């Protein structure tokens, strides 16, 4: 993964897990599985960024 994509994934993770939106969603009493969905989405974003890079034959 190149540097711009790594920075983008890091910022996405910070936005997803450290933003005030997390506190707001937690106050809404969501279903127990929402944190797992958030982590799965983050892992899927990392996988998509890793796979879309150019590979040498």
């Amino acid at each position: 993964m190149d540097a711009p994509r790594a920075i983008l994934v890091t910022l996405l993770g910070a936005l997803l897990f450290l933003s005030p939106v997390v506190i707001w969603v937690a106050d809404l009493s969501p279903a127990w599985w929402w944190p797992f969905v958030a982590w799965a989405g983050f892992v899927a974003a990392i996988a998509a960024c890793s796979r879309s890079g150019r590979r040498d034959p």
Side-chain angles (χ1 to χ4, degrees), residues 32-56:
W32 63 269
W33 46 269
W34 273 106
F36 298 104
V37 171
W39 274 107
F42 186 60
V43 169
I46 293 172
C49 285
S50 295
R51 291 194 62 181
S52 64
R54 189 185 76 155
R55 294 185 181 187
D56 292 331

Side-chain angles (χ1 to χ4, degrees), residues 1-25:
M1 183 182 315
D2 56 347
R5 287 187 182 170
I7 292 170
L8 182 64
V9 167
T10 302
L11 291 176
L12 176 67
L15 178 68
L16 185 62
F17 297 110
L18 299 175
S19 70
V21 174
V22 174
I23 297 170
W24 177 70
V25 170

